[in-house]
C-alpha cells in the first residue's frame, strides 16, 4: 500500500459575482443587501508514472482544466503534503478472522506514514458499523488512540460494508481539513447492509472525499468482491 495518501495536488477554481438583491434604499428601509453567486470546484489529483509511482514536482502549468470545452484559470494550486481528515473503514466480519492481524498491521503502517497533522477516525464493521473512537471524539491525531479503536470490535458475524461506508462519508463532513479521504480494508463482500451499493455510490459522488480500497482476500475466499472495491474507489477518484 502507498506510504501516504495519493493526494498530491489540490487545485481550486473560484469566482464570485456580487449582484444587488435590493437596488436602493429609501428612508426607513432596511440595509442594502447583496446576493453572492460563488462557483468553487476542488480537485484532488494523483499523478503516477507507468509503474504506478507518484510523480512529484508538478506545478499549475502542468495542468489544464476544461469545462464544456472551455479552458478555466487555476487560481489556487498547492502540491504540498497537506494535512487531511481521514477515516479508516475496517472489516471485522467473520471472513476477516484469519486476516485480522494483517488488517490491523496495514492500518497502523498507514497511520505511521501519514502526515503528523492528519486527523483520523476508525469505523469497524461486521453486521453493524461501529465508531472505533469514543462517542465524544470524532477525530484523533493519536496513533495510540487509532490502535485502540482498531481493536475495539471483535472479529465475527456478517458484513455491512455499505453501511460502514455511509457512516464514514457522513463522519468526514465534520472534518476540519480541506483534504478528505477514506481508506477501506475489506474483501469487498456485503451481506448485511441496510443501505444499497447504489445509495452509497451516490453519497460518494456528492462528497469531496477520495476513497482508497485495499482488498484483503485470497483466491479461495468465497466472499471476496474486488469489483465492488474498484467501483467504490473509481467513483470517488481514488484507487483500489
Amino acid at each position: 500500500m502507498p506510504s501516504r495518501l495519493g493526494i498530491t495536488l489540490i487545485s481550486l477554481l473560484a469566482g464570485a459575482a456580487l449582484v444587488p438583491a435590493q437596488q436602493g434604499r429609501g428612508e426607513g428601509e432596511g440595509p442594502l443587501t447583496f446576493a453572492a453567486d460563488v462557483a468553487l470546484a476542488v480537485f484532488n489529483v494523483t499523478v503516477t508514472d507507468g509503474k504506478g509511482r507518484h510523480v512529484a514536482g508538478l506545478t499549475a502549468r502542468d495542468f489544464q482544466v476544461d469545462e464544456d470545452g472551455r479552458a478555466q484559470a487555476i487560481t489556487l494550486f498547492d502540491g504540498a503534503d497537506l494535512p487531511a481528515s481521514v477515516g479508516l473503514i475496517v472489516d471485522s466480519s467473520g471472513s476477516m478472522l484469519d486476516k485480522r492481524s494483517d488488517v490491523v498491521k496495514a492500518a497502523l503502517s498507514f497511520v505511521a506514514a501519514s502526515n503528523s497533522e492528519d486527523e483520523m477516525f476508525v469505523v469497524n464493521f461486521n453486521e453493524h458499523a461501529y465508531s472505533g473512537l469514543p462517542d465524544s471524539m470524532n477525530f484523533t491525531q493519536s496513533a495510540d488512540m487509532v490502535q485502540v479503536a482498531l481493536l475495539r470490535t471483535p472479529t465475527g458475524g456478517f458484513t455491512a460494508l455499505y453501511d460502514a461506508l455511509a457512516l464514514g462519508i457522513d463522519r468526514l463532513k465534520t472534518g476540519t481539513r480541506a483534504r478528505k479521504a477514506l481508506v477501506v480494508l475489506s474483501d469487498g463482500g456485503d451481506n448485511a447492509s441496510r443501505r444499497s451499493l447504489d445509495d452509497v455510490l451516490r453519497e460518494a459522488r456528492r462528497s469531496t472525499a477520495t476513497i482508497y480500497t485495499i482488498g484483503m482476500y485470497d483466491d479461495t475466499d468465497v466472499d471476496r468482491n474486488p469489483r465492488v472495491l474498484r467501483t467504490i474507489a473509481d467513483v470517488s477518484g481514488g484507487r483500489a
Side-chain angles (χ1 to χ4, degrees):
M1 63 184 293
S3 61
R4 287 181 184 247
L5 280 178
I7 309 175
T8 55
L9 309 167
I10 298 180
S11 306
L12 298 92
L13 285 73
L18 293 179
V19 180
Q22 180 181 322
Q23 296 296 335
R25 112 182 127 170
E27 186 176 349
E29 295 182 358
L32 181 66
T33 59
F34 291 85
D37 180 15
V38 180
L40 175 67
V42 180
F43 299 94
N44 295 319
V45 182
T46 302
V47 181
T48 57
D49 62 16
K51 296 183 178 180
R53 297 171 300 194
H54 288 183
V55 177
L58 300 176
T59 69
R61 292 190 298 273
D62 298 307
F63 295 86
Q64 178 175 319
V65 179
D66 294 329
E67 181 180 7
D68 297 330
R70 297 190 303 272
Q72 304 295 310
I74 300 175
T75 56
L76 270 174
F77 181 93
D78 200 326
D81 178 26
L82 299 174
S85 299
V86 183
L88 300 177
I89 313 298
V90 181
D91 194 337
S92 300
S93 66
S95 61
M96 291 287 109
L97 190 60
D98 60 344
K99 307 175 186 69
R100 183 60 176 167
S101 61
D102 290 335
V103 171
V104 173
K105 187 182 300 183
L108 291 177
S109 296
F110 172 81
V111 173
S114 296
N115 188 311
S116 61
E117 296 300 314
D118 287 350
E119 57 179 14
M120 297 190 180
F121 66 87
V122 176
V123 171
N124 298 307
F125 68 94
N126 41 46
E127 61 260 37
H128 300 288
Y130 309 90
S131 174
L133 296 174
D135 292 341
S136 60
M137 183 182 297
N138 283 343
F139 290 87
T140 182
Q141 291 179 247
S142 166
D144 290 339
M145 287 293 297
V146 172
Q147 183 170 6
V148 170
L150 289 168
L151 301 174
R152 191 174 181 184
T153 303
T155 305
F158 293 105
T159 313
L161 170 61
Y162 308 151
D163 289 350
L165 274 169
L167 178 59
I169 292 170
D170 189 61
R171 173 66 62 85
L172 273 182
K173 295 175 184 176
T174 66
T176 63
R177 309 296 192 250
R179 292 169 53 190
K180 293 179 171 60
L182 295 178
V183 179
V184 181
L185 298 98
S186 175
D187 59 14
D190 189 300
N191 53 22
S193 284
R194 289 171 291 181
R195 304 290 298 272
S196 69
L197 177 59
D198 286 342
D199 285 343
V200 174
L201 293 178
R202 277 193 293 271
E203 291 198 15
R205 290 188 186 99
R206 296 190 194 105
S207 171
T208 60
T210 306
I211 304 176
Y212 299 86
T213 60
I214 300 172
M216 307 295 292
Y217 55 82
D218 55 48
D219 291 339
T220 63
D221 289 342
V222 296
D223 293 328
R224 71 188 187 279
N225 196 331
R227 181 186 62 82
V228 164
L229 295 177
R230 286 195 298 270
T231 299
I232 291 169
D234 289 347
V235 79
S236 71
R239 295 184 66 186

